[in-house]
């Protein structure tokens, strides 16, 4: 009997998220894959974050999944080392660079973080979570705790990195590996249209839209995300 090898999956978190963002995927899909979480907390550019992940990834070839800022880094990895990526999952992210308004919002958030980081976390969380999840004490506590444990200096570094990111849209047609795009239907930070745009530009990409879900789909709707990821992982050819 032939047994299928497990893929190594590198998971990239978003702004102010640590490994706990992916806790339900790491636990729930442990029979389908071996997971490793990339560290996006030390570099201050998206390019530098991508280089750090590529240098420290445990294997040469792997499946890559990035959420939000992690998706920006995943797209940069696709530019730097496409030959190492067996499959790409983009969750609640965008290929676009910041608009002038988004840049201004980031600049203001950096200034506010210097004086009242908790207020910045609260404001961010109100956009990250679906309205129906804002009174889920476990979720709110977890998102708050991840943010506090990474701290304001990481927040400022990550905001600066994101504000300088390039437009990835022109590069999307170059992506040739199996690609899955997942989006919370009510994602208020990277809306559905940004995902539809990526799916149109990447040949063969699939789109899964998750109901009752905001920006943090891996935590807000873990079962739906795991179903989509496990079906997709089963289709990926594991080349040596
Ligand atoms: C994230 O969740 O990584 C960020 O909110 C994305 C962004 O600010 O562009």
């Amino acid at each position: 009997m032939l047994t299928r090898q497990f893929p190594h999956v590198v998971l990239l978190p978003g702004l102010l998220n640590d490994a706990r963002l992916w806790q339900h995927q790491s636990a729930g899909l442990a029979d389908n894959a071996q997971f490793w979480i990339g560290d996006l907390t030390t570099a201050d550019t998206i390019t530098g974050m991508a280089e750090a992940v590529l240098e420290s990834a445990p294997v040469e070839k792997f499946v890559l999944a990035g959420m939000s800022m992690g998706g920006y880094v995943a797209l940069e990895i696709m530019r730097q080392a496409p030959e190492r990526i067996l499959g790409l999952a983009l969750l609640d992210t965008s290929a676009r660079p910041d608009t002038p308004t988004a840049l201004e919002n980031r600049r203001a958030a950096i200034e506010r973080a210097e004086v009242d980081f908790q207020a910045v976390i609260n404001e961010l969380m109100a956009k990250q979570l679906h309205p129906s999840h804002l009174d889920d004490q476990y979720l709110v506590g977890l998102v708050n705790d991840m943010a506090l444990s990474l701290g304001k200096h990481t927040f400022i570094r990550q905001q600066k990195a994101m504000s300088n990111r390039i437009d990835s849209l022109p590069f999307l047609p170059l992506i040739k590996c199996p690609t899955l795009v997942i989006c919370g239907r009510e994602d208020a930070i990277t809306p559905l249209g940004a995902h539809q745009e990526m799916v149109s530009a990447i040949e063969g990409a699939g789109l899964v839209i998750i109901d009752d879900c905001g920006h943090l789909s891996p935590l807000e709707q873990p079962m739906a995300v795991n179903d989509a990821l496990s079906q997709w992982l089963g289709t990926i050819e594991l080349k040596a």
Side-chain angles (χ1 to χ4, degrees):
M1 193 176 79
L2 281 178
T3 49
R4 192 179 145 81
Q5 243 191 312
F6 285 175
H8 286 262
V9 180
V10 170
L11 299 170
L12 303 181
L15 171 69
L16 287 180
N17 306 147
D18 59 26
R20 287 174 285 176
L21 174 81
W22 297 108
Q23 59 185 330
H24 302 293
Q25 289 66 50
S26 309
L29 299 176
D31 289 344
N32 305 49
Q34 295 181 45
F35 293 100
W36 184 84
I37 315 283
D39 181 358
L40 309 184
T41 62
T42 55
D44 60 1
T45 61
I46 296 295
T47 311
M49 290 174 182
E51 284 165 0
V53 171
L54 285 166
E55 270 166 35
S56 49
V59 287
E60 179 61 19
K61 294 194 180 208
F62 51 88
V63 173
L64 183 60
M67 201 227 85
S68 199
M69 181 186 72
Y72 307 158
V73 176
L75 291 174
E76 173 60 27
I77 289 176
M78 293 310 298
R79 275 192 290 277
Q80 291 188 18
E83 71 290 349
R84 292 185 60 184
I85 309 305
L86 301 173
L88 173 67
L90 298 166
L91 293 85
D92 298 285
T93 190
S94 167
R96 296 269 180 183
D98 276 350
T99 61
T101 308
L103 279 174
E104 178 48 31
N105 291 342
R106 283 197 208 282
R107 197 199 52 72
I110 288 173
E111 255 177 35
R112 269 201 314 284
E114 294 283 8
V115 287
D116 190 352
F117 185 45
Q118 186 62 59
V120 171
I121 295 173
N122 296 346
E123 213 168 279
L124 181 62
M125 186 148 27
K127 289 195 217 132
Q128 285 173 314
L129 294 176
H130 186 277
S132 69
H133 293 149
L134 284 169
D135 52 14
D136 178 330
Q137 290 192 1
Y138 171 74
L139 254 187
V140 168
L142 175 62
V143 175
N144 192 58
D145 198 57
M146 288 194 292
L148 285 177
S149 58
L150 292 187
K152 82 171 172 192
H153 296 296
T154 300
F155 174 77
I156 292 169
R157 236 183 343 269
Q158 292 183 331
Q159 287 286 22
K160 287 186 175 159
M162 288 190 285
S163 65
N164 288 319
R165 74 186 189 281
I166 65 165
D167 184 359
S168 291
L169 211 54
F171 297 95
L172 297 184
L174 301 177
I175 295 176
K176 297 297 175 204
C177 64
T179 300
L180 174 67
V181 177
I182 296 178
C183 177
R185 191 179 289 284
E186 292 87 16
D187 185 335
I189 295 180
T190 47
L192 183 53
H195 299 77
Q196 288 163 330
E197 180 177 68
M198 291 190 289
V199 170
S200 306
I202 303 173
E203 197 187 323
L207 175 63
V208 173
I209 303 167
I210 300 189
D211 288 331
D212 301 317
C213 188
H215 184 61
L216 297 181
S217 60
L219 283 174
E220 291 189 74
Q221 294 294 355
M223 305 273 268
V225 168
N226 285 8
D227 281 353
L229 286 177
S230 79
Q231 276 188 35
W232 171 72
L233 282 169
T235 67
I236 293 177
E237 198 187 324
L238 302 177
K239 297 175 215 138

